[in-house]
Amino acid sequence: MEVAEVGPVYIYMIHDLKEIDLSPAAAGFQVMVSGHSHKPSVEERKGVLYVNPGSAGPRRFSLPISVARLTVSDGPVTAELVEISE
């Protein structure tokens, strides 16, 4: 588990979401980043942005090779999945 602060935004990074032992919203985190499943996704839950960037390394299963780009600006934090071609 790692925590990053980007301006006013707190980002909680953990390998497997099943290992979370706190409430991200209650703890003041705006973004949760995980990657255990390697399945790229971006979704909001209870005001927290959950991001799985996927895998930028060798292809896993039939999943795309991808990364995620977080944008922290004056508005809300946004995330974009970016597929990488082989």
Side-chain angles (χ1 to χ4, degrees), residues 52-76:
N52 184 329
S55 178
R59 183 174 304 280
R60 296 191 179 257
F61 316 108
S62 61
L63 298 171
I65 299 171
S66 65
V67 296
R69 177 183 301 133
L70 285 177
T71 301
V72 178
S73 62
D74 293 336

Side-chain angles (χ1 to χ4, degrees), residues 3-50:
V3 173
E5 181 180 355
V6 180
V9 176
Y10 288 91
I11 304 167
Y12 190 101
M13 295 170 279
I14 190 166
H15 179 74
D16 189 345
L17 284 177
K18 293 178 183 174
E19 297 174 1
I20 294 174
D21 60 357
L22 54 80
S23 165
F29 291 101
Q30 290 83 15
V31 181
M32 292 289 301
V33 177
S34 66
H36 178 71
S37 72
H38 299 280
K39 184 178 179 182
S41 65
V42 174
E43 67 176 285
E44 186 174 327
R45 295 186 223 158
K46 298 182 181 179
V48 177
L49 189 63
Y50 284 76

